[in-house]
Amino acid sequence: MDSSIVRATLLLAAGIFVGVVIGVTISPARRTASTVVQAGDGGSGATANLGPKSGSHLESEMEHPNILLGNIVTVPFQELFGVLSALSPLQLNELAVQLQNLPAGKERNAKVAVFFKAWAHLDPVAALQAAAGFKISETKTAAVQSVITSADAAQAKTLAKQIQEWPADALTREQRNGFLSSLLMKWSDLDPVGAAKFFDTMQANAMHFHPAASVIAQNWAAIDPSAAIEWARSHSDTQGFQGAMNGAINGWWSKDHGAAEQYEALGTYTYSLLRKDPNAAAAWAVTISDPKIRDKSLNGIAAFWLNKDPAAASAWIQNSGLSAADKRRLLALTPGD
């Protein structure tokens, strides 16, 4: 055989061999550099990329370890958190969009809940903004509730204001009330006074916020029982808000068991006596030794009595041992004045 033909054949074979070696060397690294897989129904056998459209920002930016987003509910939280923490805000939003485009149902809701739980540990504000864009009510609820549950208490104030500012058609009334109630309880863990003030500006139906009011009052009373009880008392006529007083007493109990027990016992006795004989209740309340409890009991008696028998209550107020300021305030509540 001609030597030139042999030489050409050998060179061709060598080139093929080198090409195969290079391909084997590069290919696995390229596969492992692709990131989280498909947000679709991808089963356990799925090992592809997230499935972004060719040329998208996500495709050009992602270089992270393989995690099956299709099986996200089975991925250890720390592993998922590690991957998401390496992604840009744009990438996280694109993942949220892909999850939103999955077929509706329990499986999608479960994946959404896990994803937003991890995202909320990174940036609850951004996660909540993305959750607002979900169209399906159940999926939106899963996303928002996961953010609220996972967010730090220090973020509750910001998240509550964010939800309050959402357009009326972004949530149903029940959803909005439920989310705000959860956030108010978390907020009150760090700042019960701020949570109470926010509640008072909502002008919402207190029936939907009974648990939140109770928790706010309880957390507040553990710091300042007098102020918490006054706040609860100021809403005592609001339907569904009665639990706030019980919450305040419970909080006070944790701070000063003896004083709370005395206040509760006196309050129960005073109320029972007041309904039978306001004059006797007032006369008895004057003898209470604790100034704060005495004044609060007398003020409550006077307010009740003014509505029941204004003339008799006014006469008693004028001759009572209340301060001049209290007398003026209570007499101003007389019907018709």
Side-chain angles (χ1 to χ4, degrees):
M1 182 180 293
D2 191 284
S3 61
S4 62
I5 296 176
V6 172
R7 189 180 303 109
T9 301
L10 290 175
L11 287 174
L12 177 61
I16 293 173
F17 175 76
V18 171
V20 169
V21 171
I22 293 174
V24 169
T25 302
I26 293 176
S27 198
R30 185 174 183 84
R31 283 197 301 270
T32 56
S34 62
T35 200
V36 199
V37 285
Q38 227 149 272
D41 291 330
S44 58
T47 54
N49 292 334
L50 273 164
K53 294 181 180 179
S54 177
S56 73
H57 294 288
L58 191 60
E59 181 185 57
S60 64
E61 292 180 22
M62 294 201 308
E63 289 186 5
H64 302 286
N66 252 358
I67 291 211
L68 301 182
L69 194 56
N71 295 327
I72 190 173
V73 292
T74 65
V75 175
F77 179 81
Q78 289 301 325
E79 189 176 356
L80 176 62
F81 178 82
V83 170
L84 296 188
S85 64
L87 299 179
S88 69
L90 178 60
Q91 290 173 316
L92 290 168
N93 275 291
E94 288 199 29
L95 289 178
V97 171
Q98 291 191 36
L99 285 171
Q100 184 176 182
N101 292 333
L102 292 176
K106 292 182 179 180
E107 185 177 352
R108 177 175 70 174
N109 294 343
K111 293 177 181 179
V112 165
V114 171
F115 175 77
F116 277 89
K117 176 184 177 182
W119 192 359
H121 278 79
L122 295 168
D123 188 346
V125 174
L128 189 63
Q129 289 174 342
F134 278 70
K135 305 302 181 184
I136 304 299
S137 179
E138 290 183 0
T139 308
K140 179 181 290 187
T141 296
V144 175
Q145 197 60 58
S146 291
V147 173
I148 292 174
T149 300
S150 302
D152 188 86
Q155 295 285 346
K157 175 181 179 180
T158 300
L159 299 180
K161 290 183 176 181
Q162 187 174 333
I163 288 179
Q164 190 182 41
E165 293 171 359
W166 284 357
D169 59 354
L171 297 168
T172 66
R173 181 178 299 177
E174 291 72 19
Q175 285 176 317
R176 193 183 300 269
N177 290 341
F179 297 150
L180 287 176
S181 184
S182 296
L183 284 168
L184 282 169
M185 288 188 277
K186 178 167 283 192
W187 183 354
S188 73
D189 287 342
L190 294 180
D191 179 19
V193 178
K197 289 181 178 178
F198 181 83
F199 176 91
D200 290 339
T201 65
M202 289 194 308
Q203 298 180 342
N205 186 342
M207 282 292 292
H208 299 288
F209 293 91
H210 168 74
S214 179
V215 172
I216 291 171
Q218 180 169 336
N219 288 333
W220 193 353
I223 301 170
D224 186 347
S226 179
I229 288 174
E230 188 60 36
W231 180 71
R233 187 192 297 279
S234 70
H235 292 282
S236 60
D237 293 333
T238 304
Q239 187 179 15
F241 205 86
Q242 290 77 5
M245 182 59 76
N246 292 333
I249 295 297
N250 289 335
W252 192 5
W253 192 286
S254 67
K255 181 179 178 66
D256 187 342
H257 177 87
E261 187 175 43
Q262 181 187 25
Y263 180 89
E264 192 170 17
L266 290 176
T268 301
Y269 177 75
T270 302
Y271 180 74
S272 176
L273 184 58
L274 176 61
R275 296 186 67 84
K276 297 177 181 178
D277 186 349
N279 190 68
W284 176 81
V286 172
T287 67
I288 297 175
S289 59
D290 187 302
K292 290 184 178 180
I293 297 177
R294 180 182 63 244
D295 290 345
K296 290 183 182 297
S297 296
L298 288 171
N299 291 347
I301 290 168
F304 177 89
W305 200 358
L306 279 167
N307 285 319
K308 184 176 181 180
D309 189 344
S314 296
W316 177 83
I317 291 171
Q318 292 171 349
N319 296 312
S320 71
L322 292 172
S323 67
D326 282 339
K327 288 180 179 180
R328 288 193 298 270
R329 177 176 58 82
L330 292 173
L331 287 171
L333 296 176
T334 303
D337 286 0

